[in-house]
Amino acid sequence: MQRPCVTSLAHAPPRLSAARDTTAFACTGAPPDVFTTSNAIAACEQAGRWRQALSILRGLKPLGLPPNEACYNAAISACARAGEWRAALQLLDEMTAEEVAVDGGKGDAGRQRRDARAGGRGLRLRPLRPNVRSYTAAISACGRGGVWQEAVRLYEQMAAHGVAADGTCVSAAIHACAIGRAWEQALVLLSSMDPRLRRSAGAAAHNAALNACARAGEWRVAISLLKEMQASGPPPQARSYNAAIAGCATAREWRMALALLRRMRRRGVRPDVVTYGTAIAACERGRQWQEALGLLRTMGEEGVRADRQCYNSVICSVGRGAGWRAALGLLDEMDPQAAGGGTAGRRGDKRGGGAPLQPDARWARTDALGLRHLPTTSTPHSSHPPLLPSPTPSIPHSSHPPLLPP
């Protein structure tokens, strides 16, 4: 009998050991089992091949091998990785109608493996039920698919089916609400967590709720949540502050964004390139070019390498505030600024090496020319204006009541 569900793994990336092992296993002519195929499906998940994962899962029954929880969980995770939430929900529904072979006695895993390879002889069947991993993968799929309502429905359905949620599952549900800008629902889920879940989730659930508030521009709620983390835990991380600063940037609250930046330094949390980039964006939206430029200088002093997004925000802000000549002067700085090393991605090592940072040529051609029509406060008669001074940020007092304790 032809087994395309297994032999098709020959096309998987060679770096995936599970795929290599499964392919070699199929080439020997030995019969596959649910243990091997679950590893193959997991390999497809890592390779981003959700259709191939489903093909392997569908090919188990014709071989007389009922899939187990591991097979379904790996397939649902593959769909989640691709954002295929409909396929993930369909697999979750299919699990309740399936049966899996289990050892009737106290046989060890090796015996179960041998019996499964023999077509299930010596095993009995029991109903297959989704577990917390199944629901977490399906909730993540709904989040990536932008259907936060389905994610919340699945989370509530777990309790009705007697499946206890863990911290990872709650964080996935809150993250789905964050993607959908459903910040109120995210806070409801966060507040419903018992102490056990809060300990297991760590800062992940709170960070997801902070992201939900940031996406919706609810900066006051985000700061209140940050204060709650400082008071009762878990301690805020750089990601926590980054999310709160992003909420301030969305609401153009540049003063509060800078206050949060100072606050995290006092708390011993080191700002990263995301922190500075978000604070610079807040200053840009608030038309505070001197503050944005000061943050860029501070990044260099602290050894945090600015990326292209930071430079683009500062150049745009400087161009609107100091004129296009000054903006082009800062554009010329981009190469020397990174000559001693490379630029790191937003998720990479901020001190890592790589190619020198180059200005975005398309951006420079369009925006720099457009800046010529803006008023120029200082236009020295030179082909290359002098480098802008490093301003000392002076933060005026905000009209809002203080939200952060001193």
Side-chain angles (χ1 to χ4, degrees):
M1 178 185 297
Q2 185 180 5
R3 299 188 181 98
C5 62
V6 177
T7 57
S8 59
L9 260 292
H11 302 290
R15 71 178 184 276
L16 299 176
S17 59
R20 291 200 308 269
D21 296 342
T22 305
T23 303
F25 186 70
C27 293
T28 61
D33 58 37
V34 292
F35 299 96
T36 306
T37 50
S38 64
N39 291 334
I41 296 174
C44 292
E45 174 200 352
Q46 297 175 20
R49 300 186 176 185
W50 67 277
R51 295 183 186 276
Q52 199 166 11
L54 293 183
S55 176
I56 298 173
L57 182 68
R58 303 299 186 205
L60 286 176
K61 281 188 177 180
L63 297 177
L65 297 174
N68 59 7
E69 287 93 343
C71 295
Y72 270 102
N73 291 347
I76 295 174
S77 297
C79 295
R81 195 182 187 99
E84 295 291 335
W85 63 275
R86 291 184 177 87
L89 295 186
Q90 181 179 352
L91 291 175
L92 194 66
D93 291 337
E94 288 180 9
M95 289 185 69
T96 58
E98 292 288 346
E99 292 180 325
V100 64
V102 296
D103 192 351
K106 297 183 179 181
D108 56 11
R111 176 184 170 186
Q112 292 187 29
R113 181 186 294 268
R114 291 191 299 272
D115 289 342
R117 287 177 179 173
R121 293 191 297 271
L123 300 180
R124 64 181 179 83
L125 297 179
R126 67 165 174 81
L128 191 65
R129 295 184 180 88
N131 54 26
V132 64
R133 287 192 60 188
S134 314
Y135 279 104
T136 301
I139 289 172
S140 298
C142 294
R144 293 197 177 191
V147 284
W148 65 270
Q149 298 91 338
E150 289 292 331
V152 173
R153 181 186 66 82
L154 288 177
Y155 180 75
E156 295 173 347
Q157 178 181 314
M158 292 178 62
H161 290 178
V163 181
D166 58 10
T168 304
C169 183
V170 180
S171 300
I174 297 176
H175 182 66
C177 296
I179 295 177
R181 300 176 185 268
W183 64 275
E184 293 176 311
Q185 183 62 52
L187 294 181
V188 169
L189 293 177
L190 183 66
S191 62
S192 66
M193 295 173 62
D194 57 34
R196 178 187 62 84
L197 278 181
R198 286 179 178 267
R199 287 192 299 269
S200 63
H206 287 78
N207 291 344
L210 283 167
N211 285 327
C213 297
R215 287 171 180 260
E218 294 292 334
W219 62 278
R220 291 179 180 272
V221 181
I223 292 177
S224 298
L225 183 57
L226 197 64
K227 289 172 58 179
E228 177 184 329
M229 295 177 67
Q230 293 170 349
S232 57
Q237 306 169 336
R239 288 186 178 183
S240 311
Y241 283 100
N242 293 347
I245 294 174
C248 296
T250 302
R252 303 177 186 269
E253 290 291 335
W254 62 273
R255 294 183 180 88
M256 189 56 66
L258 296 183
L260 286 172
L261 183 60
R262 293 192 298 267
R263 178 72 176 176
M264 69 183 296
R265 286 200 191 98
R266 289 197 299 268
R267 291 280 179 173
V269 181
R270 178 167 181 153
D272 55 19
V273 64
V274 180
T275 311
Y276 281 107
T278 309
I280 288 173
C283 295
E284 177 195 355
R285 294 185 179 185
R287 298 189 178 276
Q288 301 295 319
W289 69 271
Q290 291 180 318
E291 304 294 347
L293 183 59
L295 290 174
L296 185 66
R297 306 299 190 199
T298 303
M299 292 181 70
E301 295 171 359
E302 295 187 356
V304 181
R305 183 167 293 113
D307 59 8
R308 182 178 291 114
Q309 184 174 340
C310 294
Y311 269 104
N312 285 353
S313 295
V314 175
I315 290 172
C316 186
S317 181
V318 169
R320 288 192 174 95
W324 65 272
R325 292 180 184 273
L328 291 182
L330 187 58
L331 187 67
D332 291 338
E333 266 191 77
M334 290 181 69
D335 283 343
Q337 183 77 12
T343 177
R346 285 293 171 120
R347 296 180 183 270
D349 181 8
K350 56 181 175 291
R351 295 180 180 270
L357 184 63
Q358 299 291 337
D360 190 331
R362 183 175 57 181
W363 184 92
R365 285 197 302 270
T366 55
D367 272 47
L369 290 176
L371 289 172
R372 295 190 180 198
H373 303 288
L374 296 175
T376 303
T377 58
S378 173
T379 56
H381 298 284
S382 172
S383 57
H384 292 281
L387 297 180
L388 293 172
S390 302
T392 301
S394 57
I395 312 302
H397 294 288
S398 174
S399 58
H400 301 291
L403 296 179
L404 294 174

mmCIF file of all heavy atoms in Angstrom, residues 359-403:
data_model
loop_
_atom_site.group_PDB
_atom_site.id
_atom_site.type_symbol
_atom_site.label_atom_id
_atom_site.label_comp_id
_atom_site.label_asym_id
_atom_site.label_seq_id
_atom_site.Cartn_x
_atom_site.Cartn_y
_atom_site.Cartn_z
ATOM 1 N N PRO A 359 20.509 53.765 4.936
ATOM 2 C CA PRO A 359 19.233 54.468 4.882
ATOM 3 C C PRO A 359 18.317 53.855 3.846
ATOM 4 O O PRO A 359 18.764 53.249 2.875
ATOM 5 C CB PRO A 359 19.631 55.900 4.499
ATOM 6 C CG PRO A 359 20.960 55.761 3.838
ATOM 7 C CD PRO A 359 21.631 54.598 4.480
ATOM 8 N N ASP A 360 17.047 53.982 4.083
ATOM 9 C CA ASP A 360 16.050 53.495 3.142
ATOM 10 C C ASP A 360 16.028 54.442 1.950
ATOM 11 O O ASP A 360 15.541 55.568 2.039
ATOM 12 C CB ASP A 360 14.679 53.445 3.841
ATOM 13 C CG ASP A 360 13.652 52.717 3.016
ATOM 14 O OD1 ASP A 360 13.769 52.733 1.789
ATOM 15 O OD2 ASP A 360 12.727 52.144 3.620
ATOM 16 N N ALA A 361 16.568 54.003 0.812
ATOM 17 C CA ALA A 361 16.723 54.898 -0.333
ATOM 18 C C ALA A 361 15.376 55.412 -0.821
ATOM 19 O O ALA A 361 15.226 56.583 -1.168
ATOM 20 C CB ALA A 361 17.459 54.161 -1.456
ATOM 21 N N ARG A 362 14.385 54.543 -0.863
ATOM 22 C CA ARG A 362 13.077 54.973 -1.351
ATOM 23 C C ARG A 362 12.480 56.012 -0.410
ATOM 24 O O ARG A 362 11.903 57.007 -0.837
ATOM 25 C CB ARG A 362 12.147 53.760 -1.463
ATOM 26 C CG ARG A 362 10.784 54.097 -2.025
ATOM 27 C CD ARG A 362 9.957 52.843 -2.222
ATOM 28 N NE ARG A 362 9.813 52.105 -0.971
ATOM 29 C CZ ARG A 362 9.144 50.967 -0.876
ATOM 30 N NH1 ARG A 362 8.625 50.414 -1.945
ATOM 31 N NH2 ARG A 362 9.037 50.354 0.292
ATOM 32 N N TRP A 363 12.616 55.757 0.888
ATOM 33 C CA TRP A 363 12.115 56.733 1.872
ATOM 34 C C TRP A 363 12.830 58.057 1.717
ATOM 35 O O TRP A 363 12.234 59.124 1.763
ATOM 36 C CB TRP A 363 12.329 56.180 3.277
ATOM 37 C CG TRP A 363 11.757 57.055 4.351
ATOM 38 C CD1 TRP A 363 10.517 56.977 4.897
ATOM 39 C CD2 TRP A 363 12.398 58.145 4.997
ATOM 40 N NE1 TRP A 363 10.355 57.932 5.845
ATOM 41 C CE2 TRP A 363 11.495 58.681 5.930
ATOM 42 C CE3 TRP A 363 13.638 58.746 4.881
ATOM 43 C CZ2 TRP A 363 11.784 59.752 6.738
ATOM 44 C CZ3 TRP A 363 13.941 59.822 5.695
ATOM 45 C CH2 TRP A 363 13.037 60.316 6.604
ATOM 46 N N ALA A 364 14.176 58.015 1.532
ATOM 47 C CA ALA A 364 14.954 59.248 1.419
ATOM 48 C C ALA A 364 14.549 60.050 0.199
ATOM 49 O O ALA A 364 14.467 61.275 0.244
ATOM 50 C CB ALA A 364 16.442 58.908 1.353
ATOM 51 N N ARG A 365 14.290 59.384 -0.909
ATOM 52 C CA ARG A 365 13.936 60.100 -2.133
ATOM 53 C C ARG A 365 12.583 60.783 -2.005
ATOM 54 O O ARG A 365 12.373 61.877 -2.523
ATOM 55 C CB ARG A 365 13.905 59.129 -3.314
ATOM 56 C CG ARG A 365 15.272 58.706 -3.801
ATOM 57 C CD ARG A 365 15.169 58.112 -5.183
ATOM 58 N NE ARG A 365 14.268 56.969 -5.232
ATOM 59 C CZ ARG A 365 14.637 55.714 -5.023
ATOM 60 N NH1 ARG A 365 15.899 55.439 -4.760
ATOM 61 N NH2 ARG A 365 13.768 54.731 -5.082
ATOM 62 N N THR A 366 11.644 60.145 -1.315
ATOM 63 C CA THR A 366 10.302 60.706 -1.235
ATOM 64 C C THR A 366 10.156 61.714 -0.108
ATOM 65 O O THR A 366 9.794 62.869 -0.326
ATOM 66 C CB THR A 366 9.277 59.576 -1.048
ATOM 67 O OG1 THR A 366 9.642 58.810 0.102
ATOM 68 C CG2 THR A 366 9.269 58.673 -2.268
ATOM 69 N N ASP A 367 10.482 61.286 1.117
ATOM 70 C CA ASP A 367 10.262 62.162 2.263
ATOM 71 C C ASP A 367 11.231 63.336 2.302
ATOM 72 O O ASP A 367 10.849 64.444 2.674
ATOM 73 C CB ASP A 367 10.371 61.367 3.563
ATOM 74 C CG ASP A 367 9.040 60.754 3.951
ATOM 75 O OD1 ASP A 367 8.418 60.163 3.059
ATOM 76 O OD2 ASP A 367 8.641 60.887 5.104
ATOM 77 N N ALA A 368 12.478 63.104 1.951
ATOM 78 C CA ALA A 368 13.427 64.210 2.007
ATOM 79 C C ALA A 368 13.041 65.308 1.028
ATOM 80 O O ALA A 368 13.141 66.498 1.324
ATOM 81 C CB ALA A 368 14.832 63.705 1.710
ATOM 82 N N LEU A 369 12.576 64.924 -0.146
ATOM 83 C CA LEU A 369 12.121 65.929 -1.101
ATOM 84 C C LEU A 369 10.853 66.605 -0.614
ATOM 85 O O LEU A 369 10.657 67.802 -0.795
ATOM 86 C CB LEU A 369 11.880 65.273 -2.468
ATOM 87 C CG LEU A 369 13.146 64.819 -3.206
ATOM 88 C CD1 LEU A 369 12.768 64.102 -4.491
ATOM 89 C CD2 LEU A 369 14.053 65.995 -3.506
ATOM 90 N N GLY A 370 9.992 65.832 0.022
ATOM 91 C CA GLY A 370 8.770 66.433 0.548
ATOM 92 C C GLY A 370 9.041 67.396 1.673
ATOM 93 O O GLY A 370 8.323 68.384 1.860
ATOM 94 N N LEU A 371 10.108 67.158 2.448
ATOM 95 C CA LEU A 371 10.439 68.046 3.553
ATOM 96 C C LEU A 371 10.890 69.418 3.074
ATOM 97 O O LEU A 371 10.887 70.378 3.839
ATOM 98 C CB LEU A 371 11.540 67.417 4.411
ATOM 99 C CG LEU A 371 11.122 66.206 5.247
ATOM 100 C CD1 LEU A 371 12.339 65.577 5.886
ATOM 101 C CD2 LEU A 371 10.110 66.597 6.298
ATOM 102 N N ARG A 372 11.265 69.547 1.796
ATOM 103 C CA ARG A 372 11.706 70.852 1.302
ATOM 104 C C ARG A 372 10.588 71.882 1.338
ATOM 105 O O ARG A 372 10.846 73.075 1.338
ATOM 106 C CB ARG A 372 12.213 70.705 -0.137
ATOM 107 C CG ARG A 372 13.450 69.844 -0.250
ATOM 108 C CD ARG A 372 14.029 69.931 -1.623
ATOM 109 N NE ARG A 372 15.222 69.095 -1.739
ATOM 110 C CZ ARG A 372 16.129 69.219 -2.700
ATOM 111 N NH1 ARG A 372 15.979 70.137 -3.624
ATOM 112 N NH2 ARG A 372 17.170 68.420 -2.738
ATOM 113 N N HIS A 373 9.352 71.407 1.328
ATOM 114 C CA HIS A 373 8.225 72.337 1.328
ATOM 115 C C HIS A 373 7.808 72.730 2.728
ATOM 116 O O HIS A 373 6.888 73.522 2.890
ATOM 117 C CB HIS A 373 7.040 71.690 0.598
ATOM 118 C CG HIS A 373 7.368 71.276 -0.801
ATOM 119 N ND1 HIS A 373 7.543 72.173 -1.819
ATOM 120 C CD2 HIS A 373 7.578 70.037 -1.338
ATOM 121 C CE1 HIS A 373 7.822 71.518 -2.955
ATOM 122 N NE2 HIS A 373 7.855 70.216 -2.681
ATOM 123 N N LEU A 374 8.507 72.203 3.727
ATOM 124 C CA LEU A 374 8.189 72.563 5.107
ATOM 125 C C LEU A 374 9.042 73.750 5.531
ATOM 126 O O LEU A 374 10.136 73.968 5.014
ATOM 127 C CB LEU A 374 8.448 71.381 6.041
ATOM 128 C CG LEU A 374 7.564 70.154 5.796
ATOM 129 C CD1 LEU A 374 8.001 69.010 6.703
ATOM 130 C CD2 LEU A 374 6.106 70.475 6.025
ATOM 131 N N PRO A 375 8.591 74.555 6.490
ATOM 132 C CA PRO A 375 9.388 75.700 6.930
ATOM 133 C C PRO A 375 10.699 75.265 7.548
ATOM 134 O O PRO A 375 10.773 74.242 8.225
ATOM 135 C CB PRO A 375 8.478 76.373 7.974
ATOM 136 C CG PRO A 375 7.541 75.297 8.425
ATOM 137 C CD PRO A 375 7.321 74.431 7.230
ATOM 138 N N THR A 376 11.745 76.025 7.302
ATOM 139 C CA THR A 376 13.071 75.735 7.820
ATOM 140 C C THR A 376 13.436 76.776 8.863
ATOM 141 O O THR A 376 13.452 77.967 8.583
ATOM 142 C CB THR A 376 14.106 75.766 6.684
ATOM 143 O OG1 THR A 376 13.684 74.828 5.698
ATOM 144 C CG2 THR A 376 15.470 75.380 7.196
ATOM 145 N N THR A 377 13.715 76.301 10.069
ATOM 146 C CA THR A 377 14.055 77.234 11.137
ATOM 147 C C THR A 377 15.521 77.626 11.094
ATOM 148 O O THR A 377 15.898 78.654 11.632
ATOM 149 C CB THR A 377 13.736 76.589 12.504
ATOM 150 O OG1 THR A 377 14.469 75.375 12.620
ATOM 151 C CG2 THR A 377 12.250 76.273 12.602
ATOM 152 N N SER A 378 16.340 76.764 10.488
ATOM 153 C CA SER A 378 17.758 77.075 10.406
ATOM 154 C C SER A 378 18.297 76.513 9.110
ATOM 155 O O SER A 378 18.274 75.307 8.904
ATOM 156 C CB SER A 378 18.508 76.450 11.601
ATOM 157 O OG SER A 378 19.893 76.624 11.441
ATOM 158 N N THR A 379 18.746 77.384 8.199
ATOM 159 C CA THR A 379 19.213 76.925 6.900
ATOM 160 C C THR A 379 20.602 77.472 6.655
ATOM 161 O O THR A 379 20.784 78.507 6.010
ATOM 162 C CB THR A 379 18.260 77.416 5.789
ATOM 163 O OG1 THR A 379 18.161 78.837 5.876
ATOM 164 C CG2 THR A 379 16.887 76.797 5.951
ATOM 165 N N PRO A 380 21.640 76.812 7.154
ATOM 166 C CA PRO A 380 22.995 77.270 6.915
ATOM 167 C C PRO A 380 23.352 77.124 5.444
ATOM 168 O O PRO A 380 22.881 76.222 4.760
ATOM 169 C CB PRO A 380 23.833 76.335 7.795
ATOM 170 C CG PRO A 380 22.980 75.121 8.000
ATOM 171 C CD PRO A 380 21.567 75.606 7.978
ATOM 172 N N HIS A 381 24.199 78.028 4.949
ATOM 173 C CA HIS A 381 24.605 78.004 3.549
ATOM 174 C C HIS A 381 25.740 77.022 3.391
ATOM 175 O O HIS A 381 26.913 77.374 3.376
ATOM 176 C CB HIS A 381 25.031 79.411 3.094
ATOM 177 C CG HIS A 381 23.917 80.409 3.179
ATOM 178 N ND1 HIS A 381 22.894 80.459 2.275
ATOM 179 C CD2 HIS A 381 23.654 81.380 4.105
ATOM 180 C CE1 HIS A 381 22.047 81.439 2.598
ATOM 181 N NE2 HIS A 381 22.497 81.998 3.710
ATOM 182 N N SER A 382 25.383 75.763 3.265
ATOM 183 C CA SER A 382 26.376 74.711 3.119
ATOM 184 C C SER A 382 25.711 73.531 2.445
ATOM 185 O O SER A 382 24.518 73.292 2.611
ATOM 186 C CB SER A 382 26.923 74.282 4.494
ATOM 187 O OG SER A 382 27.737 73.144 4.366
ATOM 188 N N SER A 383 26.486 72.823 1.652
ATOM 189 C CA SER A 383 25.934 71.656 0.983
ATOM 190 C C SER A 383 25.578 70.573 1.990
ATOM 191 O O SER A 383 24.680 69.788 1.765
ATOM 192 C CB SER A 383 26.937 71.099 -0.029
ATOM 193 O OG SER A 383 28.156 70.786 0.619
ATOM 194 N N HIS A 384 26.319 70.499 3.078
ATOM 195 C CA HIS A 384 26.000 69.560 4.152
ATOM 196 C C HIS A 384 25.898 70.343 5.455
ATOM 197 O O HIS A 384 26.898 70.854 5.956
ATOM 198 C CB HIS A 384 27.083 68.487 4.286
ATOM 199 C CG HIS A 384 27.119 67.575 3.110
ATOM 200 N ND1 HIS A 384 26.228 66.556 2.941
ATOM 201 C CD2 HIS A 384 27.946 67.560 2.032
ATOM 202 C CE1 HIS A 384 26.494 65.911 1.813
ATOM 203 N NE2 HIS A 384 27.524 66.505 1.249
ATOM 204 N N PRO A 385 24.715 70.489 5.999
ATOM 205 C CA PRO A 385 24.561 71.253 7.237
ATOM 206 C C PRO A 385 25.310 70.582 8.376
ATOM 207 O O PRO A 385 25.531 69.372 8.362
ATOM 208 C CB PRO A 385 23.039 71.212 7.487
ATOM 209 C CG PRO A 385 22.562 70.012 6.746
ATOM 210 C CD PRO A 385 23.460 69.866 5.552
ATOM 211 N N PRO A 386 25.733 71.357 9.350
ATOM 212 C CA PRO A 386 26.421 70.761 10.500
ATOM 213 C C PRO A 386 25.508 69.806 11.241
ATOM 214 O O PRO A 386 24.295 69.926 11.201
ATOM 215 C CB PRO A 386 26.784 71.979 11.362
ATOM 216 C CG PRO A 386 25.799 73.030 10.954
ATOM 217 C CD PRO A 386 25.531 72.803 9.496
ATOM 218 N N LEU A 387 26.137 68.843 11.925
ATOM 219 C CA LEU A 387 25.347 67.888 12.679
ATOM 220 C C LEU A 387 24.559 68.597 13.758
ATOM 221 O O LEU A 387 25.005 69.570 14.365
ATOM 222 C CB LEU A 387 26.265 66.836 13.318
ATOM 223 C CG LEU A 387 27.050 65.977 12.322
ATOM 224 C CD1 LEU A 387 27.920 64.990 13.082
ATOM 225 C CD2 LEU A 387 26.121 65.262 11.379
ATOM 226 N N LEU A 388 23.376 68.097 13.997
ATOM 227 C CA LEU A 388 22.512 68.720 14.992
ATOM 228 C C LEU A 388 23.108 68.528 16.376
ATOM 229 O O LEU A 388 23.702 67.498 16.678
ATOM 230 C CB LEU A 388 21.122 68.088 14.938
ATOM 231 C CG LEU A 388 20.341 68.367 13.650
ATOM 232 C CD1 LEU A 388 19.086 67.521 13.640
ATOM 233 C CD2 LEU A 388 19.989 69.830 13.554
ATOM 234 N N PRO A 389 22.964 69.510 17.247
ATOM 235 C CA PRO A 389 23.482 69.352 18.606
ATOM 236 C C PRO A 389 22.694 68.297 19.363
ATOM 237 O O PRO A 389 21.603 67.933 18.985
ATOM 238 C CB PRO A 389 23.280 70.748 19.213
ATOM 239 C CG PRO A 389 22.142 71.326 18.436
ATOM 240 C CD PRO A 389 22.282 70.795 17.034
ATOM 241 N N SER A 390 23.306 67.822 20.397
ATOM 242 C CA SER A 390 22.629 66.844 21.249
ATOM 243 C C SER A 390 21.851 67.586 22.306
ATOM 244 O O SER A 390 22.412 68.051 23.302
ATOM 245 C CB SER A 390 23.654 65.910 21.906
ATOM 246 O OG SER A 390 24.410 65.257 20.912
ATOM 247 N N PRO A 391 20.554 67.760 22.109
ATOM 248 C CA PRO A 391 19.774 68.550 23.059
ATOM 249 C C PRO A 391 19.580 67.802 24.368
ATOM 250 O O PRO A 391 19.534 66.576 24.406
ATOM 251 C CB PRO A 391 18.430 68.724 22.337
ATOM 252 C CG PRO A 391 18.330 67.536 21.448
ATOM 253 C CD PRO A 391 19.736 67.188 21.038
ATOM 254 N N THR A 392 19.494 68.551 25.406
ATOM 255 C CA THR A 392 19.197 67.972 26.710
ATOM 256 C C THR A 392 17.694 68.008 26.915
ATOM 257 O O THR A 392 17.097 69.089 26.943
ATOM 258 C CB THR A 392 19.876 68.778 27.836
ATOM 259 O OG1 THR A 392 21.287 68.768 27.594
ATOM 260 C CG2 THR A 392 19.552 68.163 29.188
ATOM 261 N N PRO A 393 17.070 66.855 26.982
ATOM 262 C CA PRO A 393 15.614 66.861 27.089
ATOM 263 C C PRO A 393 15.135 67.607 28.323
ATOM 264 O O PRO A 393 15.650 67.436 29.418
ATOM 265 C CB PRO A 393 15.273 65.358 27.188
ATOM 266 C CG PRO A 393 16.470 64.651 26.627
ATOM 267 C CD PRO A 393 17.642 65.532 26.981
ATOM 268 N N SER A 394 14.193 68.452 28.079
ATOM 269 C CA SER A 394 13.553 69.167 29.183
ATOM 270 C C SER A 394 12.078 68.863 29.120
ATOM 271 O O SER A 394 11.388 69.260 28.200
ATOM 272 C CB SER A 394 13.787 70.682 29.051
ATOM 273 O OG SER A 394 13.309 71.155 27.817
ATOM 274 N N ILE A 395 11.616 68.096 30.071
ATOM 275 C CA ILE A 395 10.244 67.603 30.041
ATOM 276 C C ILE A 395 9.353 68.547 30.829
ATOM 277 O O ILE A 395 9.478 68.669 32.044
ATOM 278 C CB ILE A 395 10.153 66.190 30.645
ATOM 279 C CG1 ILE A 395 11.245 65.310 30.050
ATOM 280 C CG2 ILE A 395 8.794 65.600 30.432
ATOM 281 C CD1 ILE A 395 11.175 65.197 28.561
ATOM 282 N N PRO A 396 8.487 69.283 30.138
ATOM 283 C CA PRO A 396 7.549 70.134 30.875
ATOM 284 C C PRO A 396 6.562 69.291 31.665
ATOM 285 O O PRO A 396 6.319 68.136 31.341
ATOM 286 C CB PRO A 396 6.848 70.913 29.757
ATOM 287 C CG PRO A 396 7.040 70.104 28.532
ATOM 288 C CD PRO A 396 8.313 69.351 28.698
ATOM 289 N N HIS A 397 6.022 69.887 32.679
ATOM 290 C CA HIS A 397 5.082 69.167 33.526
ATOM 291 C C HIS A 397 3.792 68.930 32.764
ATOM 292 O O HIS A 397 3.268 69.816 32.098
ATOM 293 C CB HIS A 397 4.783 69.968 34.807
ATOM 294 C CG HIS A 397 5.988 70.098 35.689
ATOM 295 N ND1 HIS A 397 6.496 69.049 36.412
ATOM 296 C CD2 HIS A 397 6.791 71.167 35.942
ATOM 297 C CE1 HIS A 397 7.550 69.444 37.102
ATOM 298 N NE2 HIS A 397 7.752 70.724 36.826
ATOM 299 N N SER A 398 3.314 67.698 32.853
ATOM 300 C CA SER A 398 2.084 67.349 32.160
ATOM 301 C C SER A 398 0.889 67.907 32.908
ATOM 302 O O SER A 398 0.885 68.037 34.127
ATOM 303 C CB SER A 398 1.978 65.825 32.053
ATOM 304 O OG SER A 398 0.731 65.461 31.502
ATOM 305 N N SER A 399 -0.152 68.208 32.126
ATOM 306 C CA SER A 399 -1.383 68.683 32.742
ATOM 307 C C SER A 399 -2.174 67.564 33.386
ATOM 308 O O SER A 399 -3.117 67.803 34.128
ATOM 309 C CB SER A 399 -2.258 69.371 31.668
ATOM 310 O OG SER A 399 -2.540 68.453 30.601
ATOM 311 N N HIS A 400 -1.810 66.296 33.060
ATOM 312 C CA HIS A 400 -2.522 65.180 33.637
ATOM 313 C C HIS A 400 -2.053 64.930 35.071
ATOM 314 O O HIS A 400 -0.894 65.174 35.391
ATOM 315 C CB HIS A 400 -2.309 63.917 32.799
ATOM 316 C CG HIS A 400 -2.773 64.073 31.396
ATOM 317 N ND1 HIS A 400 -4.090 64.178 31.068
ATOM 318 C CD2 HIS A 400 -2.088 64.167 30.218
ATOM 319 C CE1 HIS A 400 -4.224 64.300 29.762
ATOM 320 N NE2 HIS A 400 -3.008 64.308 29.228
ATOM 321 N N PRO A 401 -2.919 64.395 35.891
ATOM 322 C CA PRO A 401 -2.476 64.052 37.263
ATOM 323 C C PRO A 401 -1.452 62.956 37.206
ATOM 324 O O PRO A 401 -1.444 62.124 36.308
ATOM 325 C CB PRO A 401 -3.777 63.573 37.928
ATOM 326 C CG PRO A 401 -4.664 63.167 36.798
ATOM 327 C CD PRO A 401 -4.319 64.075 35.657
ATOM 328 N N PRO A 402 -0.519 62.942 38.167
ATOM 329 C CA PRO A 402 0.533 61.926 38.132
ATOM 330 C C PRO A 402 -0.056 60.526 38.320
ATOM 331 O O PRO A 402 -0.815 60.279 39.250
ATOM 332 C CB PRO A 402 1.429 62.306 39.324
ATOM 333 C CG PRO A 402 0.545 63.112 40.219
ATOM 334 C CD PRO A 402 -0.426 63.829 39.324
ATOM 335 N N LEU A 403 0.297 59.636 37.387
ATOM 336 C CA LEU A 403 -0.180 58.271 37.459
ATOM 337 C C LEU A 403 0.874 57.340 38.026
ATOM 338 O O LEU A 403 0.564 56.246 38.471
ATOM 339 C CB LEU A 403 -0.603 57.774 36.063
ATOM 340 C CG LEU A 403 -1.785 58.528 35.446
ATOM 341 C CD1 LEU A 403 -2.079 57.970 34.068
ATOM 342 C CD2 LEU A 403 -3.025 58.397 36.320
#
